[in-house]
Amino acid sequence: MAQIRSYVIANLLRAEASQHIQYFRKGVLQKSGRGLSIWFDPNGASLTEVPMNDRELIFMIKGQSSDYQDLAVQGSVIWRVVDADKVASRIDFGIDINRGVRLSKPEEQIKSVLTGLVRQFSDAYLKDKGVRDLLEAGLSPVQAAITDGFQADPTLDGMGLEVVSIRVSALSPSPEVYRALQAPTFESLQQKADEATFSRRALAVDKERAIAENELSNQIALAARRKELIAREDANARSEAEAKAAAKQITIEADSEAKIVGAEAEAKRIRLVEQAAADMEKARMAAIAEVPPAVMFALAAQEFAGKLEKIDSLNVTPDMLAGIAQQAKLLFGSQAPET
């Protein structure tokens, strides 16, 4: 924006190099150029300020395809002024002679013209194709169609304007159309996802079956080994039991033989002792047989007397004395005393 300072007799205007200034006095152009610094009399003066640098227009327009589906085109247009005098003659770029501010909004008018042209060129492109073809073609064809339209249209050239570049950033259908277009692809992807899920589950089932079969095989092998182990343990236990039984039998037989030998020895000893006792008794009986009865009676009395510890009283009868005398007579013969 130009800077204007008021003094007593005149005003001083200073503009940036990117601004084109036109100074009119009483409707006659006095000075025109970029980055001017001039003194002017505010009485009967008028000024214009035209920006010469690049400007950007952001647009979003809606159109319809050949199958009557709504589409939105988004992008930007870079434009600039190439002929300040021409554009100033078409659009009001006047500024206040005391403050330097714009008296209108010329850029809004230019943007309105550019937006109308973009809508015109894009509509012509969109109505020629169906929505699916447009979306599959992408952004480059619509961007090229708008560019070709600006190059072929004389409107901007007559206004002293130039389009530097055009960029289309999006070509979007309405939400309903967008979901409808997504549905087949979504279903296809969902079907593939389901197939992948089923395949994964089938693979998982196969792996689980293989794992189960492996576990079963291991269990069978372990059962067979356990059976073999039990058989070996049973055989070992049987062998051990047989060995113990054999050892016990040997011990029993040895004990039996020892007992038999001991019994035979004891019986032999008893027989020898009894035989000796019998022989002694026989000898004694033979000796006793040769001893007279009176002597035997005396010996018996003597033995009886030896076994008696105390005699309180002794009764002697005539019959006893007669018997003793008779025995004595037999023992000593004629020398026996008379009773």
Side-chain angles (χ1 to χ4, degrees), residues 115-169:
T115 302
L117 293 174
V118 170
R119 179 177 290 106
Q120 176 184 344
F121 304 145
S122 61
D123 284 344
Y125 171 76
L126 296 177
K127 290 180 179 180
D128 191 41
K129 296 179 176 62
V131 63
R132 186 176 294 276
D133 295 334
L134 292 172
L135 294 176
E136 290 179 354
L139 304 178
S140 298
V142 63
Q143 180 173 308
I146 295 173
T147 302
D148 295 341
F150 274 113
Q151 291 177 355
D153 191 86
T155 302
L156 294 184
D157 186 58
M159 295 177 62
L161 301 176
E162 179 186 22
V163 172
V164 178
S165 65
I166 298 173
R167 181 172 59 89
V168 176
S169 58

Side-chain angles (χ1 to χ4, degrees), residues 2 7 31 40 50 62 64 71 81-82 92 96 108 133-134 159 182 188 198 205 213 230 242 248 268 275 285 295 306:
Y7 294 94
K31 288 185 179 180
F40 64 94
V50 181
K62 293 184 178 180
Q64 284 188 344
L71 292 168
V81 176
V82 293
D92 183 12
D96 187 271
E108 295 297 329
D133 295 334
L134 292 172
M159 295 177 62
Q182 277 185 326
S188 177
F198 295 152
V205 170
E213 292 177 355
I230 292 173
E242 291 176 355
K248 185 176 181 180
K268 185 176 181 180
Q275 184 66 37
M285 293 300 295
V295 175

Side-chain angles (χ1 to χ4, degrees), residues 242-253:
E242 291 176 355
K244 288 183 179 179
K248 185 176 181 180
Q249 184 65 29
I250 292 172
T251 302
I252 292 173
E253 292 177 357

